[in-house]
Amino acid sequence: MTQTVEPGVTGDEVRVLDLVDQLLANHDPHGDRFEFMGAQFDMGLAWVHFPEGHGGLGLMPRIQEVIDHRLDAATPHRPSFFHVIGHGMGAPMLNTHGTEDQKRRHLKPLFTGEDVWCQLFSEPGAGSDVAGLATKAMEDGDEWVVNGQKVWTTVAHVSKWGMLVARTDPDLPKHQGMTYFLMDMEAEGVEVRPLRQITGEAEFNEVYMTDVRIPDSQRIGERGDGWKVALTTLMNERVAIGGNPAPRNAGAIADLLEVWREHGGTEDDRDRFMKLWVEAEAARLTNLRAYENRTAGTPGPEGSTAKLVYAELNKRVYELATELMGPEGMLYDTYELFQPQSAEEMSGDLRRRFLRVRANSIEGGTSEIMKNILGERVLGLPGEPRVDKDLPWTKVPRS
Ligand SMILES: Cc1cc2nc3c(=O)[nH]c(=O)nc-3n(C[C@H](O)[C@H](O)[C@H](O)COP(=O)(O)OP(=O)(O)OC[C@H]3O[C@@H](n4cnc5c(N)ncnc54)[C@H](O)[C@@H]3O)c2cc1C
């Protein structure tokens, strides 16, 4: 099939659209998910800015939009909530820090969704200050033995691999003594327990590790480089949560529009709605500009800015939507513990979203931490006092 090429479309775009046509012609877009997405990966259409052979073609990241736009309309085999961590954070982290072998082994099943990934960073005593973490990994021959506990681990109950940061040198200052691993979540000694959220759902978990053995070949980066690799992961997390440009009137504001059309509201409600719409549009355009400026590689603090804006805005948007619904807004179906096994099982109910967005200003770094990043890294304000920065981790007081 020959595409009609619009004015302004670049040669690279024409080339990838041609490849998308080949993909759709040679692989049933409604057939087997792994076969279709595997072919997409092999053709370099998974992450187009990644190198050839690793799911990309070495092109500009924005070309991916052209591919995604076409595939969104043509196939149900698209990344879902269960892929957000692996696709948004795991893949760019591995592309930056992984060895050739690790990339070859993990990127394809990660892309197709055959392997779901989770993020094992937060601990009961280390959330915002994740560098204070206490889970230990001790070297034993060509393996590491891991003991400790992680918490708030999204999709751990369906994950094959966990991105784990553990303390390997407790006598070094906290940022220096950590190492990064990819841990097999099915390994002996890994126990995953559901944690119920305000919505009733348990999309996240506690993860206990008792003498879990990780082969050294699953270490990412050098021993002691854990913080560097973790930072790449976190920067990509903020972009994955808040930084992807959406079309006008999509996401939370689209929900509010729909509720307004159905229920209407007072003059005051109308003012609130208009203000929120303008804020959402300003945030979207700012995000779009940051996205256009961003090139391949590690994203900068603009991901944190977008994350902060959307987290706070989403809460106010769903507050108004629920108010406009009146008593109907309180008709919540059930608070029974429910552990979704796939994205399809997750509820799209608006009342549930009102509750779920409360987590937006906590997950991926709280709004207070985003403001610290904004203040220090964008505005150049004096940094927070960090008195434990140079102390050996063993000498830092812990609760
Ligand atoms: C829905 C959801 C999913 C999550 N998924 C994952 C996951 O998959 N993997 C994972 O590792 N983690 C995950 N998390 C954990 C999340 O990253 C942490 O909850 C978050 O970083 C905050 O850490 P904390 O809960 O320990 O709070 P704390 O760090 O104890 O913070 C408590 C309060 O103190 C404030 N505070 C702390 N330090 C400062 C400071 N320096 N300046 C100003 N204020 C400060 C915080 O803003 C917050 O209000 C998830 C959380 C949620 C809600």
Side-chain angles (χ1 to χ4, degrees):
M1 188 168 74
T2 313
Q3 294 302 326
T4 322
V5 177
E6 291 169 23
V9 173
T10 66
D12 284 341
E13 286 172 6
V14 174
R15 186 176 145 220
V16 296
L17 283 174
D18 204 45
L19 286 172
V20 173
D21 286 341
Q22 287 176 36
L23 171 71
L24 292 169
N26 299 329
H27 304 270
D28 181 359
H30 297 276
D32 182 69
R33 176 185 186 93
F34 299 143
E35 194 278 329
F36 183 82
M37 290 186 81
Q40 185 186 345
F41 181 93
D42 290 341
M43 292 173 81
L45 302 173
W47 299 292
V48 81
H49 56 292
F50 281 22
E52 287 192 38
H54 292 311
L57 295 167
L59 300 177
M60 292 294 287
R62 73 167 69 98
I63 306 274
Q64 189 66 41
E65 262 182 83
V66 177
I67 299 168
D68 288 347
H69 185 65
R70 178 70 58 85
L71 289 179
D72 281 345
T75 171
H77 302 322
R78 306 296 295 135
S80 70
F81 174 81
F82 277 53
H83 297 101
V84 169
I85 290 174
H87 280 206
M89 301 148 66
M93 177 283 295
L94 202 67
N95 189 39
T96 309
H97 300 285
T99 62
E100 275 303 295
D101 273 358
Q102 288 168 338
K103 291 180 199 177
R104 203 159 295 122
R105 176 169 179 205
H106 291 294
L107 282 174
K108 188 170 174 180
L110 167 60
F111 177 72
T112 60
E114 203 175 328
D115 290 348
V116 173
W117 285 28
C118 63
Q119 179 197 14
L120 299 160
F121 283 24
S122 304
E123 297 184 2
S128 298
D129 181 22
V130 73
L133 59 84
T135 291
K136 285 203 179 72
M138 308 298 286
E139 209 165 1
D140 183 21
D142 58 1
E143 289 183 325
W144 297 80
V145 182
V146 181
N147 281 286
Q149 185 201 341
K150 297 288 174 177
V151 73
W152 320 124
T153 319
T154 306
V155 301
H157 59 289
V158 289
S159 287
K160 170 65 183 163
W161 297 103
M163 295 176 272
L164 171 77
V165 196
R167 190 150 307 279
T168 42
D169 295 284
D171 294 325
L172 290 178
K174 60 181 182 180
H175 291 93
Q176 293 167 32
M178 292 181 285
T179 304
Y180 201 106
F181 303 94
L182 211 48
M183 184 177 82
D184 185 344
M185 296 295 289
E186 290 165 6
E188 210 181 313
V190 179
E191 192 195 339
V192 179
R193 299 183 195 163
L195 272 180
R196 188 148 76 146
Q197 294 158 236
I198 192 175
T199 54
E201 274 163 342
E203 72 189 43
F204 56 25
N205 308 267
E206 294 176 297
V207 178
Y208 291 83
M209 291 150 290
T210 313
D211 292 332
V212 179
R213 293 196 159 261
I214 304 183
D216 190 54
S217 57
Q218 290 297 123
R219 171 174 46 79
I220 303 193
E222 296 301 319
R223 176 186 183 137
D225 272 355
W227 184 243
K228 190 168 89 182
V229 185
L231 271 187
T232 307
T233 317
L234 290 171
M235 288 300 176
N236 281 293
E237 177 174 31
R238 276 141 212 181
V239 172
I241 293 179
N244 286 320
R248 178 175 287 170
N249 291 337
I253 207 74
D255 282 341
L256 181 55
L257 254 172
E258 210 178 298
V259 173
W260 180 268
R261 283 190 187 120
E262 196 180 326
H263 296 268
T266 63
E267 275 301 306
D268 281 351
D269 294 333
R270 194 183 184 85
D271 280 353
R272 274 171 77 193
F273 178 25
M274 290 319 299
K275 278 184 190 142
L276 288 168
W277 191 90
V278 169
E279 276 184 61
E281 187 58 8
R284 188 184 76 83
L285 293 173
T286 308
N287 215 4
L288 198 61
R289 195 175 57 226
Y291 178 83
E292 291 291 328
N293 289 338
R294 206 184 306 140
T295 49
T298 307
E302 73 274 8
S304 306
T305 319
K307 202 234 158 227
L308 170 67
V309 170
Y310 277 109
E312 299 304 322
L313 189 62
N314 284 349
K315 284 199 269 189
R316 287 189 289 131
V317 167
Y318 282 109
E319 272 161 22
L320 179 58
T322 313
E323 279 176 43
L324 293 178
M325 287 166 79
E328 214 187 290
M330 291 185 283
L331 291 178
Y332 199 70
D333 50 0
T334 172
Y335 285 102
E336 286 298 304
L337 171 69
F338 169 63
Q339 202 174 21
Q341 301 298 313
S342 71
E344 289 73 38
E345 288 181 17
M346 296 186 74
S347 165
D349 188 275
L350 207 130
R351 301 161 192 88
R352 197 165 285 256
R353 285 191 196 150
F354 164 74
L355 295 174
R356 178 60 182 79
V357 294
R358 314 311 296 174
N360 286 176
S361 51
I362 307 172
E363 60 195 330
T366 66
S367 286
E368 289 77 20
I369 295 298
M370 295 305 116
K371 284 178 188 165
N372 282 348
I373 294 174
L374 194 60
E376 293 177 25
R377 298 195 41 203
V378 180
L379 301 177
L381 299 176
E384 269 200 294
R386 294 184 173 93
V387 287
D388 58 1
K389 197 164 83 68
D390 301 317
L391 286 180
W393 178 80
T394 44
K395 300 267 184 299
V396 178
R398 260 175 297 281
S399 54

